[in-house]
Every structure is written in C-alpha cells, then in structure tokens.
Amino acid sequence: MNETTTDYRQKLIGISKQAYGRAKAKFGLFSGLYGQIQNLAFIYGDVLPKLWGVSGLLLARYLPDRFQGEICQTLVFFFGFNILSTVLSLPVSYYNTFVLEEKFGFNKQTLKLWITDMLKGQMLGVVLGAPIITGVLKIVQKFDTSFYYYLWLFGVFLQVFAITIYPIAILPLFNKLSPLQPGELKTGVEKLAEKLNFPLSELHVIDGSKRSAHSNAYFYGLPWKKHIVIYDTLIEKTEAEEVVAVLGHELGHWSLSHTTKLFGIAQFHMFYIFALFSVFVNNKSLYQSFGFVNQQPIMIGFLLFSDALAPMDAVVKLLMNILSRKFEFEADEFAQKLGYSDKLASSLLKLQIQNLSTMDADPLYASYHYSHPILTERLAALGWKGGKVTSSKEEDSETPVKAADREL
C-alpha cells in the first residue's frame, strides 16, 4: 500500500471513530436527559402512589383474601412498574440499536431478535424477580430494623447462585456457546491457563456476532471451576496470539486477585446501603413527601431511598473507576511480564480501530466516566514504540501506526 493511500485510510478511520464517538456522546446526553425527565414526571405526577393504589385494587378485585397484603401488592406493583418502564425505554433502545449502531455498521440484530430478547427479559423478571422480592420483604418484616445483616447475607447468596445458574439456565436463552475447536488458539489458551494454575474447566466461543460487531472476551465461574468465553468476532478479527495476549490480561485480573477484591468491595457497599436503609425504612416524612400518606411500603421506600442516595453513588462511581483503571494498568503489566507486550498492544489498537472507540479523552472527563485507561496511556505503560497493525485478519494490507499519534 503506498503512502498516499495509507494516509487517506488513516484519515477515514479517524473521521469515522470521531463521528461515532460524537454520536455516542450525544445519544448518552439525550438518553440521560430523557431518563431525568421521566423520573421527574413520575414524581410530580404521583405515578408511584397511583400505581401502588391500582395494584391494591387489582388484588382486591381478582384474587382471594389469602393473596392480599404487602408482599403480593408489591409483586403486582413491580411487574406493572417494570412493564411501564420497558415501554417508555423502547424508543431509546430502538434508536440505539437500529439507528446509531446500524449507521456505523455494528448492529447485527433483527427486529425479531430484538423483540424476542425483550420478552425473554420480561419473563426472567417474573420468574426470578418474584422469589427475590418475596425473600427481601419477608426478611425486613421478620427482623425489623436489624434486617440489614440478614438481607446482606441473602444478597451474597443470590450473587453466588447467579454465578452458578447463569451459564446453565440464563445465558443459553440469549446466546449459543460452542466449544473452542482444536488449533493454535486453544493450545495457546490452555498453555497460558496451565502456566498460571488457572482452574480452567471449559473454553467457549459465543455467537456475539448475531447481535453486534463489537468484540470481547471474559471468564466466569466459581473459584475452583472457571470458564473462558471468547466472542466469535474477536477470533475473526484478531490473530490467535493476540487473543491469547488479551486473555493474558484478563487472567492477570484473576492472578492479582482483582476480581476477589472487587467482589469484597461490592459486598461492603451492599452492606453499607442496607444498613443505611434500615435508618430510613420507617421514616414517615420520606413516604409522605412522595404521596404515600397512609402507607409505608418497604420496596417503595427502597426506591425513594435509592434516589436520595444518588449523589453518594456518584462519589462511589468516581472512586471505583479510579480503582478499576489502576487494576487495568496492573493487568496490562502482568501480561507484559508474560511476554505479551507487543501482541497486547497490537490487539488493543485493532480493537480500538474496529470498534471506532475514542482513542483519547479529557483527563478530567475520563477520571469520572471511564473504567479503563485511554489507549494512549495503556500503550505508553506497555512501552510500545510503534509498529504495523492490520485492522482485520482478512485484510492483506498493513497500516503503519505511530505510538506518538494521539488520534489513535
């Protein structure tokens, strides 16, 4: 490829990713504003107390006396509230999938698949939501203001249960997992797992391409039995050694106990929220301010409490993103020590180009919104000096990339 063609192609890539980044930013601003307006409309229109009242009337009219009470009314309320929220979110979801992602070539979903996914999500909400909500309410009712400790234990149990049941009962509803076929990639991943004493149970390929052209890889499972999942789009667009390098980074999180630390922090945060909620749960003024004059439904109180806690959550998000970026640098360094420095750098560049991701950002903006370091910071930390990167395995041409070029 001559220099003129290369320069032209680089400009096209830069223009495309900038356009995609601007479009995503505008969409994020709009969707956030839409959600805020919706929230304010719910508050000033007394939607919550009205929906709660309708839920009680439906129970009284259509169900026998044994189904009356706060638990059954809460279930009817939440299923109705969930349907209402889903309907209101349809325009935003449709635009994101079939306009924004479609425009830049990422959407692979059909309208039928999109609707099917939505209906499956509603079904899971009913099947899993009912026993969870029932369990939460029974714990709060039984243990009064000391419920937070038992509610926290219940939350820990639910997380472990979800990790166990997700690959068996939930994931197959949306995606197909296939065993990774023998070859260079499988051999490389198995050698890496063996070298790190990673308890690898199975290697899967997921059909992510039926929904999106974006790429990813991750692992999940209990401490003694882990599964690695690689998106078919990642295998298609990168070399085997580069995929192994990406997994070297991911297993670095496991080896450095990042996943365990984050799980522990999440448990502390959950305990803190439940303990704080125990102080608010019987606060009459909180309920009365939002239209609940004569009743104090527990789950309604938690919804209102969550809104009141939003400013604190913003601080938590900032701190968690700072910690997450620190862990990402450490995982990159781990992969670098394994000898994957160049392959990890080239895979990061390919993924950034293929996903039209923003390669640079304002440091102040990134410190709050980004859970991962920007590409230029990661490449600098890896000590990458520049080289040739091909954006897809199918392409014969190579695009020179300069490490100092912050547009990439």
Side-chain angles (χ1 to χ4, degrees):
M1 179 179 289
N2 59 52
E3 184 176 355
T4 302
T5 305
T6 298
D7 292 342
Y8 177 70
R9 182 164 174 248
Q10 285 181 309
K11 289 179 181 179
L12 286 179
I13 292 172
I15 292 171
S16 297
K17 65 182 176 57
Q18 289 175 23
Y20 182 63
R22 285 195 296 267
K24 290 285 286 185
K26 291 177 181 178
F27 173 76
L29 179 63
F30 171 79
S31 60
L33 181 61
Y34 177 75
Q36 188 64 30
I37 293 173
Q38 178 182 310
N39 196 28
L40 289 174
F42 276 26
I43 293 174
Y44 286 102
D46 286 333
V47 173
L48 295 183
K50 289 176 181 177
L51 187 57
W52 179 260
V54 170
S55 301
L57 290 175
L58 290 174
L59 283 177
R61 175 171 294 186
Y62 296 107
L63 293 178
D65 291 343
R66 67 176 182 273
F67 291 106
Q68 309 301 315
E70 183 177 351
I71 291 179
C72 288
Q73 189 170 349
T74 300
L75 292 175
V76 174
F77 168 85
F78 265 92
F79 295 147
F81 182 78
N82 187 46
I83 292 173
L84 177 61
S85 299
T86 301
V87 171
L88 291 174
S89 68
L90 285 179
V92 176
S93 177
Y94 182 90
Y95 181 88
N96 180 57
T97 302
F98 295 103
V99 179
L100 179 57
E101 295 292 300
E102 185 79 26
K103 178 180 178 181
F104 291 93
F106 290 121
N107 177 49
K108 303 298 180 183
Q109 287 194 77
T110 62
L111 182 61
K112 179 181 178 181
L113 180 60
W114 181 70
I115 294 174
T116 302
D117 282 350
M118 179 182 62
L119 295 176
K120 288 178 180 178
Q122 293 297 313
M123 179 190 69
L124 284 174
V126 173
V127 173
L128 299 179
I132 291 174
I133 291 174
T134 301
V136 168
L137 293 179
K138 284 189 173 295
I139 289 172
V140 176
Q141 290 174 349
K142 180 176 178 60
F143 296 102
D144 197 27
T145 55
S146 63
F147 68 83
Y148 59 90
Y149 176 73
Y150 302 97
L151 196 57
W152 171 71
L153 290 178
F154 183 60
V156 174
F157 166 77
L158 287 178
Q159 291 178 68
V160 176
F161 176 74
I163 293 173
T164 305
I165 197 175
Y166 174 76
I168 301 172
I170 300 178
L171 184 59
L173 293 174
F174 299 93
N175 289 98
K176 179 182 179 182
L177 290 179
S178 304
L180 179 62
Q181 296 301 310
E184 181 183 359
L185 177 56
K186 184 176 182 180
T187 300
V189 175
E190 289 176 340
K191 286 183 178 179
L192 174 63
E194 183 179 359
K195 180 178 181 179
L196 300 177
N197 293 320
F198 181 76
L200 178 61
S201 174
E202 294 182 65
L203 268 170
H204 302 288
V205 178
I206 191 170
D207 58 342
S209 58
K210 77 176 184 179
R211 288 184 176 82
S212 173
H214 292 295
S215 305
N216 199 5
Y218 63 92
F219 67 87
Y220 67 88
L222 297 170
W224 55 87
K225 186 179 181 181
K226 299 289 186 182
H227 304 258
I228 291 178
V229 178
I230 308 172
Y231 277 57
D232 54 358
T233 48
L234 182 63
I235 296 175
E236 177 187 348
K237 296 178 180 180
T238 52
E239 300 173 3
E241 291 182 357
E242 291 171 334
V243 177
V244 175
V246 171
L247 290 173
H249 166 94
E250 295 299 328
L251 297 192
H253 287 305
W254 170 82
S255 183
L256 297 170
S257 300
H258 292 165
T259 51
T260 303
K261 292 174 183 176
L262 290 175
F263 182 80
I265 292 172
Q267 305 321 304
F268 174 79
H269 185 233
M270 182 170 61
F271 184 84
Y272 157 78
I273 289 176
F274 289 155
L276 194 58
F277 176 57
S278 68
V279 180
F280 283 81
V281 68
N282 294 319
N283 189 324
K284 292 183 179 179
S285 62
L286 176 68
Y287 293 91
Q288 291 174 350
S289 299
F290 291 91
F292 291 88
V293 179
N294 300 317
Q295 293 178 297
Q296 296 177 214
I298 295 170
M299 293 302 291
I300 296 292
F302 190 76
L303 284 178
L304 301 177
F305 167 74
S306 298
D307 279 345
L309 200 64
M312 179 64 71
D313 283 342
V315 176
V316 172
K317 177 184 176 181
L318 172 63
L319 296 176
M320 289 304 298
N321 279 346
I322 292 173
L323 179 63
S324 175
R325 287 195 299 275
K326 177 178 179 293
F327 284 171
E328 292 301 319
F329 278 125
E330 292 177 356
D332 281 350
E333 183 181 9
F334 183 88
Q336 184 180 29
K337 290 179 179 178
L338 291 174
Y340 296 127
S341 179
D342 289 341
K343 290 299 181 181
L344 180 59
S346 64
S347 65
L348 290 173
L349 280 162
K350 285 183 181 182
L351 292 174
Q352 289 283 120
I353 293 172
Q354 292 158 6
N355 293 330
L356 298 180
S357 302
T358 302
M359 306 260 186
D360 203 357
D362 177 76
L364 187 60
Y365 179 88
S367 65
Y368 179 77
H369 292 279
Y370 289 10
S371 61
H372 285 57
I374 58 178
L375 179 64
T376 49
E377 293 176 333
R378 296 182 73 174
L379 293 179
L382 286 169
W384 192 71
K385 302 301 182 183
K388 294 182 182 241
V389 176
T390 306
S391 63
S392 175
K393 288 197 299 186
E394 285 82 11
E395 295 178 354
D396 295 326
S397 59
E398 291 183 330
T399 302
V401 181
K402 296 179 180 179
D405 188 353
R406 296 182 66 84
E407 185 175 322
L408 288 175

